[in-house]
């Protein structure tokens, strides 16, 4: 992902993105710039956040039980079981019960598929042309249910978001411009038509 983004990055960051592991380990200036972004920081390490807390209901009574739910995001190639064990090791308290609420493999969908080629072809025909880059997302999707069934799934949403629209995602007054919505519907329709043509061509061969 970052190698593919390197040609579009600031000049001083291009070399580091082309060899990210080396740059993060050896180039302190690049490391500070890269990890200074909370999104990029979360793309190179496992993360967790306490998102639900439940305990007592009365101010003057100590609760007998308190529950915290942790949202863990694991890098591709990682393991839910290993992540859970790391949480157990960090808590290190036999009085605390730890239970996995949701655990699934982090499979990816390949890029050598008719659907990916259709997305790429339609993006290149857009004005201005788009560049399709496989990416890791910090967000949560249901794509894993499809991948577990052997179905290719891509988190591709064609839109041209201004920075203020991007910052509003899942926030107060979340919105999208009507022109962007129309563009997305047209692009998705074109992708389906292109996919149909590609698959018809493959069947005829």
């Amino acid at each position: 992902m970052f190698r593919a983004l390197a040609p579009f990055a600031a000049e001083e960051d291009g070399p580091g993105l082309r060899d990210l592991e080396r740059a993060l380990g050896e180039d302190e200036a690049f490391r500070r710039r890269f990890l200074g972004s909370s999104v990029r920081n979360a793309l190179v390490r496992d993360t967790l956040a306490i998102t639900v807390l439940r305990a007592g209901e009365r101010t003057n009574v100590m609760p007998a039980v308190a529950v915290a739910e942790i949202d863990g995001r694991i890098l591709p190639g990682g393991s839910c079981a290993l992540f859970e064990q790391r949480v157990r090791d960090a808590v290190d308290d036999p009085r605390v019960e730890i239970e996995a609420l949701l655990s699934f493999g982090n499979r990816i969908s390949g890029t050598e598929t008719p659907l990916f080629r259709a997305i790429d072809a339609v993006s290149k025909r857009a004005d201005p042309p788009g560049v399709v880059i496989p990416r890791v997302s910090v967000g949560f999707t249901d794509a894993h249910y499809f991948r577990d069934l052997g179905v290719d799934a891509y988190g591709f949403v064609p839109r041209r978001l201004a920075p203020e629209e991007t910052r509003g995602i899942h926030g107060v007054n979340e919105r999208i411009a009507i022109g962007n919505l129309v563009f997305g519907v047209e692009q998705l329709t074109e992708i389906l038509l292109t996919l149909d043509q590609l698959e018809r061509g493959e069947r005829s061969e």
Side-chain angles (χ1 to χ4, degrees):
M1 169 182 165
F2 288 109
R3 277 197 301 270
L5 288 171
F8 309 99
E11 184 176 352
E12 67 270 21
D13 287 338
L17 293 178
R18 281 188 284 271
D19 190 355
L20 188 61
E21 185 175 9
R22 180 205 60 78
L24 288 176
E26 301 175 9
D27 187 337
E28 183 59 32
F30 173 84
R31 177 182 172 85
R32 282 198 304 271
R33 289 195 306 273
F34 185 91
L35 298 181
S37 162
S38 58
V39 173
R40 289 186 302 199
N41 199 319
L43 288 173
V44 293
R45 66 189 70 208
D46 294 342
T47 63
L48 60 80
I50 300 174
T51 53
V52 176
L53 289 172
R54 293 191 299 272
E57 297 179 355
R58 298 178 61 86
T59 305
N60 65 333
V61 177
M62 293 291 290
V65 176
V67 176
E69 294 185 11
I70 296 172
D71 183 355
R73 307 291 170 97
I74 304 172
L75 291 177
S79 160
C80 289
L82 179 59
F83 184 85
E84 182 182 337
Q85 186 58 51
R86 288 167 62 191
V87 173
R88 291 181 184 279
D89 293 342
V91 172
D92 194 24
D93 187 336
R95 297 171 299 174
V96 177
E97 296 181 15
I98 297 176
E99 172 190 0
L101 301 177
L102 180 64
S103 176
F104 52 86
N106 51 7
R107 295 182 176 88
I108 62 172
S109 296
T111 57
E112 298 300 321
T113 68
L115 177 55
F116 190 92
R117 290 196 293 274
I119 293 172
D120 186 54
V122 171
S123 298
K124 287 177 178 175
R125 294 198 297 263
D127 184 20
V131 178
V132 179
I133 295 173
R135 68 177 297 231
V136 177
S137 171
V138 295
F140 179 87
T141 78
D142 291 326
H144 64 94
Y145 293 116
F146 296 97
R147 292 180 181 137
D148 287 346
L149 296 173
V151 178
D152 293 315
Y154 303 103
F156 181 76
V157 182
R159 57 193 173 181
R160 299 185 178 111
L161 292 183
E164 57 270 18
E165 289 181 296
T166 301
R167 289 191 293 270
I169 293 176
H170 297 331
V172 176
N173 200 20
E174 180 179 18
R175 60 195 181 277
I176 186 170
I178 292 175
N180 236 334
L181 181 60
V182 172
F183 172 78
V185 171
E186 291 175 344
Q187 290 291 101
L188 288 173
T189 302
E190 187 65 24
I191 287 169
L192 292 175
L193 293 172
T194 302
L195 175 61
D196 183 59
Q197 292 172 355
L198 289 173
E199 292 190 327
R200 286 172 184 270
E202 289 182 0
R203 286 196 294 269
S204 65
E205 292 175 3

